[in-house]
């Protein structure tokens, strides 16, 4: 009986399916077409990369950043030798002129000049001496004088130790010194800043008087003076407080305009 019932149910099911198939219109199978899901500049994201992005955004899956450190002292080598000096660079443009500086301190008052005359005197003469000895400690050393015998119209400046020419013409000058034992004597007779004559004596165990003289053609405003010149040896001239051993003379022989 059970077999008959199962067979009856199977036949009924087949008949119903056939009836439904005949009653419904048949549809053709739908074809799938490709649809662009990304823009021209975009590329589809792979499953692995999208998964990595989800994991990295989650603090539980964030990957720690590794920052390696390098010990510089291990890699640093020894200091190299200094290189050769390079060529000088081009000269730069001249800068703007700076502001004017502050005024300096006022200098000392100078000695009074020679007394003026209504008629210019066409004559000049001087004779000065030095009572103190002098050692030359510098390469050049100015010789000054402390004793005034004759100083007509004050043409010789005792402060600077120089004769100033107020009357142009031919002059005669003479220089007398006393040498020092075992020391060299070397002096220049100067005209302005140029030596014109030399007084020299070699070192000796005996001191002597040494002299030099000459004539000079001077223009108004020129100066004549004496300086010591030091070389390898010690240079000195001798004198005493009680006596005068160093004398410098000069006088006008012929004026340029009479």
């Amino acid at each position: 009986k059970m077999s008959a019932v199962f067979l009856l149910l199977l036949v009924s099911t087949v008949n119903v399916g056939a009836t439904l198939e005949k009653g419904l219109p048949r549809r053709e199978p739908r074809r799938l077409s490709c649809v662009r899901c990304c823009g021209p500049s975009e590329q589809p994201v792979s499953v692995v990369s999208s998964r990595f992005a989800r994991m990295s955004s989650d603090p539980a899956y964030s990957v720690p950043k590794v920052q390696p450190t390098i010990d510089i002292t291990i890699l640093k080598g020894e200091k190299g030798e200094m290189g050769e000096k390079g060529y000088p660079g081009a000269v730069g443009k001249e800068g703007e002129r700076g502001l004017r500086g502050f005024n300096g301190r006022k200098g000392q008052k100078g000695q009074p000049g020679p007394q003026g005359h209504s008629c210019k005197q066409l004559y000049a003469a001087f004779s000065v001496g030095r009572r103190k000895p002098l050692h030359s400690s510098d390469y050049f050393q100015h010789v000054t004088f402390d004793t005034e015998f004759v100083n007509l119209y004050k043409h010789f400046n005792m402060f600077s130790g120089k004769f100033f020419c107020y009357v142009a013409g031919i002059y005669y000058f003479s220089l007398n010194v006393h040498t020092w034992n075992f020391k060299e004597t070397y002096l220049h007779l100067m005209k302005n800043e140029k030596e014109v004559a030399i007084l020299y004596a070699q070192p000796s165990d005996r001191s002597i008087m040494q002299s030099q003289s000459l004539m000079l053609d001077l223009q108004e405003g020129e100066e004549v003076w004496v300086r010591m010149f030091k070389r390898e040896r010690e240079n000195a001239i001798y004198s005493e407080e009680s006596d005068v051993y160093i004398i410098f003379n000069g006088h006008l022989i012929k004026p340029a305009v009479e």
Side-chain angles (χ1 to χ4, degrees):
K1 289 181 180 180
M2 291 295 295
S3 299
V5 173
F6 180 74
L7 183 58
L8 182 58
L9 290 172
L10 181 59
V11 172
S12 299
T13 303
V14 173
N15 293 333
V16 171
T19 304
L20 292 173
E21 186 176 356
K22 290 179 180 180
L24 294 174
R26 180 176 296 179
R27 295 180 181 179
E28 295 183 359
R30 185 177 182 182
R31 297 182 181 180
L32 299 176
S33 60
C34 295
V35 179
R36 189 179 188 89
C37 60
C38 302
S41 61
E42 299 177 354
Q43 295 294 335
V45 182
S46 62
V47 177
V48 177
S49 60
S50 60
R51 180 184 180 185
F52 176 77
R54 291 194 305 272
M55 293 177 63
S56 60
S57 60
D58 190 350
Y61 297 98
S62 61
V63 179
K65 296 182 179 180
V66 180
Q67 296 181 351
T69 57
I70 301 176
D71 191 353
I72 302 297
T73 58
I74 299 176
L75 303 179
K76 185 177 180 181
E78 297 181 357
K79 185 177 180 179
E81 298 180 356
M82 182 178 293
E84 297 181 357
K85 187 177 180 179
Y87 295 101
V91 179
K93 296 182 179 179
E94 185 177 356
E96 297 180 358
R97 185 175 181 180
L99 300 176
R100 185 176 180 180
F102 297 102
N103 294 330
R105 295 182 179 179
K106 186 178 181 179
Q108 297 180 354
K109 186 178 181 180
Q111 289 188 344
Q115 185 178 358
H117 302 276
S118 57
C119 296
K120 188 174 183 180
Q121 301 295 323
L122 301 179
Y123 199 76
F126 73 91
S127 180
V128 294
R130 181 182 175 92
R131 295 180 181 271
K132 296 180 180 179
L134 183 63
H135 286 78
S136 179
S137 57
D138 299 325
Y139 188 69
F140 293 122
Q141 184 168 346
H142 193 152
V143 179
T144 56
F145 300 88
D146 51 28
T147 302
E148 184 181 77
F149 298 111
V150 174
N151 192 4
L152 190 61
Y153 308 127
K154 303 297 181 180
H155 289 185
F156 189 91
N157 191 325
M158 295 296 293
F159 180 78
S160 64
K162 294 182 178 182
F163 169 75
F164 187 87
C165 177
Y166 287 95
V167 182
I170 306 299
Y171 284 81
Y172 175 83
F173 296 96
S174 65
L175 176 63
N176 301 272
V177 299
H178 193 285
T179 64
W180 203 311
N181 295 356
F182 304 105
K183 296 181 182 180
E184 188 177 45
T185 303
Y186 203 142
L187 295 97
H188 286 152
L189 193 61
M190 305 291 296
K191 177 183 176 182
N192 299 324
E193 298 299 326
K194 182 179 180 182
E195 61 272 13
V196 292
I198 295 175
L199 188 153
Y200 178 76
Q202 291 182 343
S204 174
D205 57 350
R206 297 178 61 186
S207 59
I208 59 173
M209 291 295 297
Q210 194 80 349
S211 66
Q212 179 64 281
S213 60
L214 79 164
M215 289 190 293
L216 293 174
D217 186 1
L218 299 181
Q219 302 297 322
E220 186 176 354
E222 293 186 312
E223 296 176 325
V224 179
W225 51 288
V226 180
R227 76 178 181 187
M228 297 183 69
F229 173 56
K230 182 181 179 181
R231 299 192 297 179
E232 292 81 6
R233 301 174 181 176
E234 187 177 3
N235 187 11
I237 50 178
Y238 178 79
S239 191
E240 293 180 356
E241 291 288 345
S242 58
D243 297 313
V244 180
Y245 288 89
I246 304 169
I247 297 176
F248 184 33
N249 301 322
H251 65 273
L252 177 64
I253 298 176
K254 183 179 182 300
V257 179
E258 295 184 357

